[in-house]
Amino acid sequence: MCPNIERPVNVAPESISEFISQCSTHTVRRGKDMAGFYIEEPDEDSVIYEVYELESSGHIKLAVTIMKQGKAGNEYFMTKGHYHEDERAGEVYFGLKGKGLLLLQTKEGQTDEMELTSGAAASIPPGWAHRSVNIGEEDFVFLAVYPATAGHDYGAIEKHGFLKRVVEMDGKPRVV
Ligand code: M6P
Ligand code: ZN
């Protein structure tokens, strides 16, 4: 259990293990947890990504996601992706390690994408579904900051997927 009094926490590329050790909820997503997300199913037992969410009684939540480097078929490892249950909740991602691509889309069919590397931030406005893809040569690690009331809505993504996929073509990532 977490102590009642929360401690301030520093999140930097060299202190990720410190963050992780501070009373976090730990979620591991393996290939078998992502059935239907990739065109070619990933190996059942391979870890695709891990999420460490800092427990807090406040309005703001912090989560560190560690994405493994790898592919399922020619698709780079990615998160499930979600809308927020609260349509007014946005989110900010901060790149800590490696290189990722953030895929965004709205229910009206608008899409966007942006690269996220160490030291950079990306804003996810309310109403935009977001999925992260590891397009680098190592683990892709990022910090997410979002309202505690945001909630994860995976339903629409599980049903319809994302409009765009990130695949390797001629040895390079391509959004198709
Ligand atoms: C970020 C945040 C989390 C999210 C995680 C993994 O850390 O957006 O809220 O859980 O990425 O993404 P997903 O839940 O879509 O698998
Ligand atoms: Zn989110």
Side-chain angles (χ1 to χ4, degrees), residues 33-39 75 78 80 131 157-158 165:
D33 304 312
M34 305 228 19
F37 281 83
Y38 295 90
I39 288 173
E75 263 181 287
M78 61 187 181
K80 287 187 168 189
R131 164 179 284 169
I157 308 294
E158 269 165 7
R165 290 180 181 271

Side-chain angles (χ1 to χ4, degrees), residues 29 49 51 53 63-65 79-82 84 91 93 130 132 142 144 146 152 154:
R29 301 256 197 240
Y49 62 102
V51 184
E53 199 181 62
V64 164
T65 301
T79 59
K80 287 187 168 189
H82 60 272
H84 288 151
E91 186 161 356
Y93 281 5
H130 36 293
S132 318
F142 65 95
Y146 51 99
H152 295 76
Y154 295 104

Side-chain angles (χ1 to χ4, degrees), residues 17-36:
S17 55
E18 220 174 293
F19 178 93
I20 286 169
S21 66
Q22 300 217 7
C23 267
S24 297
T25 313
H26 182 202
T27 307
V28 183
R29 301 256 197 240
R30 295 176 192 275
K32 59 176 170 245
D33 304 312
M34 305 228 19

Side-chain angles (χ1 to χ4, degrees), residues 5-6 8 14 33 35 43 54 66 84 90 94 96 98-99 103 111 113 126 134 136 150 174-175:
I5 298 173
E6 295 170 28
E14 55 292 341
D33 304 312
D43 174 70
L54 203 65
I66 301 177
H84 288 151
F94 299 90
L96 292 171
K99 185 171 167 186
L103 293 180
T111 63
E113 72 233 13
N134 185 352
R174 287 265 185 84
V175 182

